[in-house]
C-alpha cells in the first residue's frame, strides 16, 4: 500500500484467506475479516476502498462455516465488498497434492478464476483512488561534464548509487531514486540519464 499505490493508484484489494479458519465459528471469522479490512481503510485513509473476496476454505473438503463468513462480508450492504472466485472448486489431487496448497496447475487455475471473477460490473461501480502527485527533481549542469540532480526537500532518499543525500552530482550513467515521506509512503523518481557528452543549449 505504501510502496506502489502512491505512484499507481488503486481500485480494489483482492482478499484470499480462509483455510486456517476452518476450526473457527462463522462469527469469529467474519469479525476478523471486518477488522482487517477496516484497519487497512483507516490506516491508509481510503474509507471506500473496495475489496474483492474469494470463497476459499478447502482443506481436504470445503468448510461451510468459513464460506458463510466470507459471504457475510460480501453481502454486507454498503461495505464495498464484492465476490471473487470460488477457489474451493479447485480441489483435485493434481491441483492440491497435499489437500490444501495449489500445485503449479492449481495456481494457473486459480489465476484464471480470479481473472474471470473481476467483472466489468464490479469495476464500473468501484471508484478508484488516483495516483498521488509525484515529487519532481530538478537538474542542473555541473563542472566536468556532469549533472546535479536535486530532489525536493522533506523526504528520505535512497539513490541507485547508495547515496542518501537529496542532491547528487554525477557523470555519465542512469540514476534513479526512491523517496520516502513521513507517512512511509514511497515515491519513485523518474530515472535521470546523464550522457557522456552534452552541450547545454544557450538561453535566448
Amino acid at each position: 500500500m505504501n510502496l506502489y499505490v502512491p505512484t499507481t493508484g488503486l481500485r480494489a484489494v483482492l482478499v484470499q484467506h480462509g483455510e486456517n479458519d476452518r476450526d473457527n465459528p462463522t462469527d469469529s471469522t467474519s469479525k476478523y475479516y471486518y477488522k482487517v479490512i477496516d484497519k487497512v481503510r483507516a490506516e491508509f485513509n481510503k474509507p471506500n476502498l473496495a475489496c474483492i473476496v474469494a470463497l476459499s476454505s478447502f482443506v481436504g473438503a470445503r468448510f461451510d462455516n468459513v464460506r458463510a463468513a466470507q459471504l457475510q462480508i460480501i453481502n454486507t450492504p454498503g461495505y464495498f465488498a464484492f465476490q471473487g472466485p470460488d477457489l474451493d472448486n479447485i480441489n483435485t489431487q493434481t491441483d492440491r497434492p497435499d489437500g490444501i496448497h495449489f500445485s503449479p496447475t492449481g495456481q494457473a487455475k486459480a489465476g484464471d478464476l480470479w481473472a474471470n471473477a473481476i467483472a466489468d460490473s464490479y469495476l464500473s461501480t468501484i471508484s478508484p483512488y488516483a495516483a498521488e502527485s509525484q515529487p519532481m527533481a530538478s537538474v542542473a549542469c555541473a563542472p566536468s561534464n556532469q549533472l546535479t540532480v536535486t530532489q525536493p526537500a522533506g523526504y528520505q532518499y535512497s539513490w541507485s548509487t547508495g547515496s542518501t543525500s537529496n542532491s547528487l552530482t554525477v557523470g555519465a550513467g542512469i540514476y534513479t531514486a526512491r523517496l520516502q515521506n513521513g507517512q512511509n509512503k514511497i515515491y519513485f523518481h523518474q530515472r535521470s540519464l546523464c550522457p557522456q557528452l552534452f552541450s547545454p543549449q544557450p538561453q535566448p
Side-chain angles (χ1 to χ4, degrees):
M1 294 290 289
N2 273 338
L3 184 57
Y4 293 112
V5 170
T7 301
T8 63
L10 180 68
R11 187 180 292 270
V13 171
L14 309 184
V15 180
Q16 181 178 325
H17 177 77
E19 290 81 0
N20 288 338
D21 292 316
R22 60 190 179 277
D23 295 326
N24 299 327
T26 294
D27 59 348
S28 173
T29 300
S30 63
K31 177 181 69 174
Y32 285 107
Y33 265 88
Y34 284 123
K35 282 187 175 182
V36 170
I37 293 171
D38 292 345
K39 176 67 172 177
V40 169
R41 289 171 173 171
E43 186 164 324
F44 297 101
N45 194 29
K46 292 176 170 46
N48 295 328
L49 178 62
C51 295
I52 303 177
V53 181
L55 299 179
S56 184
S57 72
F58 195 87
V59 183
R62 63 185 63 197
F63 286 79
D64 289 337
N65 55 316
V66 175
R67 293 170 64 87
Q70 293 160 346
L71 288 169
Q72 182 178 331
I73 303 301
I74 293 164
N75 293 326
T76 299
Y79 197 59
F80 302 104
F82 302 86
Q83 184 170 329
D86 190 339
L87 299 178
D88 289 346
N89 289 328
I90 305 173
N91 52 37
T92 67
Q93 187 173 8
T94 299
D95 294 330
R96 295 186 191 249
D98 61 358
I100 305 174
H101 302 97
F102 294 126
S103 66
T105 60
Q107 292 172 11
K109 290 179 181 179
D112 288 341
L113 288 181
W114 266 113
N116 293 329
I118 302 174
D120 289 341
S121 59
Y122 290 175
L123 300 181
S124 64
T125 62
I126 297 173
S127 297
Y129 285 89
E132 300 178 17
S133 297
Q134 303 295 298
M136 298 296 292
S138 62
V139 180
C141 294
S144 303
N145 208 53
Q146 293 182 307
L147 292 176
T148 296
V149 185
T150 303
Q151 302 290 350
Y155 299 87
Q156 295 180 31
Y157 312 93
S158 177
W159 289 89
S160 54
T161 62
S163 173
T164 57
S165 172
N166 77 312
S167 185
L168 199 65
T169 298
V170 292
I174 297 174
Y175 305 93
T176 60
R178 179 181 292 190
L179 281 65
Q180 181 175 326
N181 71 5
Q183 289 75 46
N184 294 320
K185 292 183 179 181
I186 304 297
Y187 302 90
F188 296 93
H189 162 64
Q190 187 175 12
R191 69 178 188 170
S192 299
L193 171 63
C194 181
Q196 290 185 342
L197 294 172
F198 63 94
S199 299
Q201 296 295 319
Q203 295 296 316

